[in-house]
Every structure is written in structure tokens, then in C-alpha cells.
Amino acid sequence: MKKNQAKAVKEIMMSSPVTVRPGDTLQLASDMISLGCIRHLPVVENGRLLGILSARDVMAVGHKNRSALLKSMPIKGVMKRRVITVAPDTPIVEAARLMADKKIGCLPVLSDGTLVGLVTTTNILRYVEHLS
């Protein structure tokens, strides 16, 4: 690879990330996170990204009556609505810098406003590992 040819996030992203809908319950999200060893769930409706739900968001739900809350609370009440995203052609180095600067663990990848992938710190670390 030539020095000035930066690889793009589309080369390392998960192209079919597990997603949830805003009306799904936190219990469903919690189960998906636990069973799939997933840390970030994009919240989509009709292919459009509306927010992101992290494992930390689910864990932050109060301990008192936690089980009842998880079963009744919709994801839209907890998800982060202001989501930093990148395009498929965004250089990996730029995505890594953005994640570090903003202290976030993932970047949804959008093409024409539609979710096409998800790049995580794990994707970046695996990429760096293969550079050596």
C-alpha cells in the first residue's frame, strides 16, 4: 500500500450490524447484547439511523424494579439521538482519530442516509494489529 493511499472504513466495518427499532424494549436489547456479545446497537427505522444504544446505556437503567423497566421501557427512551457517523470512504485513520477525540466506541457508517455498516474500536484494533 502506498503511503498516501489511506484505507477506508468500508474495508474493516461490519457490513450487516445487528440493529433494533425505537419501539423495541430494553429487554430485547439487553438479551441481544448478552447473547451476541454486542456493545453497540444502531437504532433504525426504514433503514434510517435514529440513534445508538450501548451496553452501558442498558446497564445504566435503575436497579430498583430493573426487570420491570427493561420489559416495559422502549429503546427510544434511552438511546443516544446525536450520533456521530462516517461515510464508507472515510479513511480509517480519520475514523480512529474521531473515535478517540469524541471518546466513543463505534461509528455507524451511512451511505445516502442509510446505515450500511458499523466500525468499532475492535475493528480498528484488528486493522492496526495486521499492519505489523
Side-chain angles (χ1 to χ4, degrees):
M1 177 174 82
K2 292 180 183 175
K3 191 172 185 173
N4 60 359
Q5 282 185 319
K7 288 200 173 224
V9 295
K10 66 184 173 189
E11 298 175 49
I12 64 166
M13 71 181 188
M14 287 181 276
S15 58
S16 296
V18 175
T19 63
V20 290
R21 295 180 311 241
D24 290 339
T25 65
L26 284 177
Q27 183 64 58
L28 175 64
S30 179
D31 291 345
M32 293 170 84
I33 287 167
S34 296
L35 295 173
C37 297
I38 298 169
R39 290 185 294 175
H40 306 95
L41 289 168
V43 182
V44 298
E45 194 163 61
N46 300 322
R48 299 287 179 192
L49 181 71
L50 301 179
I52 194 123
L53 184 74
S54 71
R56 285 183 185 177
D57 297 331
V58 175
M59 298 295 277
V61 173
H63 293 293
K64 188 176 182 182
N65 298 324
R66 180 178 170 81
S67 180
L69 279 173
L70 288 177
K71 289 178 184 171
S72 64
M73 186 178 283
I75 288 170
K76 65 183 173 187
V78 178
M79 71 182 190
K80 289 178 182 66
R81 295 177 188 274
R82 298 186 113 177
V83 182
I84 299 168
T85 64
V86 293
D89 291 327
T90 301
I92 295 170
V93 171
E94 184 180 323
R97 186 175 302 118
L98 187 58
M99 291 168 73
D101 290 349
K102 299 296 183 180
K103 295 181 171 76
I104 53 176
C106 74
L107 290 166
V109 182
L110 302 182
S111 179
D112 295 324
T114 301
L115 181 70
V116 295
L118 187 71
V119 65
T120 67
T121 52
T122 301
N123 299 128
I124 302 277
L125 291 170
R126 286 194 177 131
Y127 170 74
V128 170
E129 176 185 31
H130 286 96
L131 288 178
S132 55

